[in-house]
Amino acid sequence: MSDLILYTNPQSRGRIAHWMMEELGQPYQTVWLGYGPEMKSPVYKAVNPMGKVPAIRHGDVVVTEAAAICAYLADAFPQVGLAPAPTSPQRAPYLRWMFFAAGPLEQAVTAKAMGWVVPEGRAAMAGFGSYADTLDALETALQPGPYICGEQFTAADVYVGSSLSWGLMFGTIDKRPVFEEYVARMRARPALLRAGQINEERIQKQAAA
């Protein structure tokens, strides 16, 4: 039994955390939760009061929110090398762009998907400013490549890569060459392929039940 537990659903943002788990290469348990009563049960809401996945338990510590899970795990297992050291010059872009994706990028993409339009002259009140400005900023960050922190793949790439991959797949993010090339590198990661297979097998098992 591992003291690292992932609570997830194969058709959710839990796939981000699952990819991160596979990148860690550490033993972990997976608790699969169904939408509805199971995820909203008192037992699980004691883990995450929002009744949403993903969440992790690491010993006595509980972490929710996919970006926070990625950041926490990278620091909890420094030997894996998924986060720049606190004194590294790359620590700033690592944190900056991971949480840019969790904040402005998600807001901008959600607004586009929902058909929400920021009223003219009110962009300063929106955390993302505008959809175009958000994508332009991220493109600038990814331009040098191959990863957010240059040559080092980090947990920030797990989160940003997941966000861009889904956005390109569902048409909520423009198919810019920089984004497509970056996502292609992410999709080739063995850990992502393993996590994807685990989740697809779970979906098939649920369908057959």
Side-chain angles (χ1 to χ4, degrees):
M1 299 289 286
S2 170
D3 68 347
L4 186 56
I5 303 171
L6 169 66
Y7 300 88
T8 189
N9 180 288
Q11 295 175 299
S12 73
R13 285 180 173 84
R15 288 201 179 213
I16 303 172
H18 220 145
W19 176 11
M20 184 65 188
M21 290 290 198
E22 289 296 317
E23 290 285 355
L24 285 178
Q26 305 296 315
Y28 67 95
Q29 302 174 56
T30 303
V31 176
W32 300 101
L33 295 168
Y35 287 108
E38 191 173 9
M39 209 175 285
K40 300 296 185 180
S41 70
V43 172
Y44 181 63
K45 290 186 77 172
V47 176
N48 184 356
M50 289 287 286
K52 299 174 66 176
V53 292
I56 63 164
R57 186 186 293 278
H58 183 209
D60 295 329
V61 173
V62 171
V63 186
T64 65
E65 313 314 315
I69 289 170
C70 289
Y72 171 84
L73 290 174
D75 285 345
F77 297 92
Q79 70 276 18
V80 182
L82 290 174
T87 56
S88 167
Q90 293 301 321
R91 184 73 176 188
Y94 164 77
L95 293 172
R96 176 186 181 184
W97 296 108
M98 183 188 298
F99 292 103
F100 180 89
L105 180 63
E106 176 149 349
Q107 289 182 346
V109 168
T110 298
K112 179 177 181 179
M114 297 290 187
W116 298 335
V117 178
V118 177
E120 186 174 351
R122 306 291 291 277
M125 295 183 65
F128 61 91
S130 74
Y131 175 81
D133 286 348
T134 301
L135 294 196
D136 288 347
L138 187 57
E139 183 175 15
T140 299
L142 296 176
Q143 189 77 51
Y147 304 114
I148 288 171
C149 294
E151 296 297 325
Q152 181 185 5
F153 174 87
T154 67
D157 294 295
V158 172
Y159 192 85
V160 175
S162 295
S163 300
L164 283 177
S165 182
W166 288 340
L168 293 176
M169 185 184 306
F170 294 112
T172 55
I173 287 180
D174 297 346
K175 292 185 176 181
R176 303 184 182 188
V178 170
F179 295 160
E180 292 181 308
E181 292 165 9
Y182 175 76
V183 166
R185 289 192 290 274
M186 299 304 104
R187 289 175 177 170
R189 299 283 302 179
L192 177 57
L193 295 173
R194 288 195 303 271
Q197 182 177 357
I198 292 168
N199 281 269
E200 291 304 317
E201 288 175 353
R202 179 66 184 181
I203 291 172
Q204 292 173 10
K205 184 177 180 180
Q206 289 175 332

